[in-house]
Amino acid sequence: MDTIFLYGIALLLFILSFAADRQKTKKAFSKGLKALEGILPQFIAVVALIAIMLSLLEPQTISRFIGSDSGPLGVILAGLIGSITLIPGFVAFPLAGELLKNGAGTLQIATFVSSLMMVGVITLPVEISYFGKRAAVLRNLLALAFSFAAAFFVAWAAGI
């Protein structure tokens, strides 16, 4: 129901924008379509990868490794996986939702998503070239520590 409401508001605002200035609205719509064209192949590939992963991993397997009962090891594993994974944010949150539905724990998913967004093991060489080795490594280590802290805060706030 919320989705229909939001689409309705977006359509209304689009119509109002079109009525106010047709040229600007057409230009903005064209830019939006081009941005979607750029994102769509990556999005489809990641969604396919998620589908394959979820079809290969049973909920019990997910639960065993990063479920609520996996304990500190599951939290650490989720943080490490998030640190080395390079997934855009618009895919990370649906993935997190699917993992939660399939047995992952809230604390573990909070750790996964926060480390995914803040830590960049894959992008570390680029960071080193811009900021230097010491600054890049320190930033990533602090981001990893903060991702664990943020996850524990989420768990505490959720009463877990």
Side-chain angles (χ1 to χ4, degrees):
M1 187 65 179
D2 292 338
T3 305
I4 294 170
F5 177 72
L6 291 174
Y7 278 129
I9 289 174
L11 181 62
L12 177 68
L13 292 173
F14 179 79
I15 292 169
L16 289 173
S17 176
F18 192 77
D21 191 338
R22 290 178 185 226
Q23 289 303 99
K24 281 185 179 180
T25 304
K26 286 180 183 178
K27 188 175 179 181
F29 189 75
S30 176
K31 282 186 177 184
L33 282 178
K34 285 183 182 177
L36 180 64
E37 286 175 2
I39 292 172
L40 200 56
Q42 184 181 30
F43 181 74
I44 290 172
V46 172
V47 168
L49 183 65
I50 292 168
I52 291 168
M53 183 187 78
L54 290 175
S55 69
L56 294 176
L57 295 175
E58 295 177 349
Q60 296 84 5
T61 306
I62 294 171
S63 182
R64 183 177 45 200
F65 288 109
I66 57 170
S68 300
D69 296 333
S70 64
L73 189 60
V75 175
I76 292 168
L77 180 64
L80 293 176
I81 292 170
S83 297
I84 61 172
T85 307
L86 187 62
I87 300 175
F90 67 89
V91 176
F93 295 109
L95 170 62
E98 285 302 313
L99 288 170
L100 281 170
K101 285 182 199 171
N102 283 281
T106 305
L107 177 61
Q108 289 78 0
I109 292 302
T111 306
F112 170 73
V113 170
S114 60
S115 64
L116 179 71
M117 294 291 132
M118 292 189 283
V119 183
V121 171
I122 302 282
T123 57
L124 188 60
V126 176
E127 276 189 69
I128 290 172
S129 69
Y130 280 97
F131 305 119
K133 187 176 184 178
R134 183 170 185 243
V137 170
L138 182 61
R139 189 208 68 78
N140 276 280
L141 288 173
L142 289 172
L144 183 62
F146 185 74
S147 69
F148 285 110
F152 282 105
F153 178 77
V154 166
W156 171 78
I160 296 171

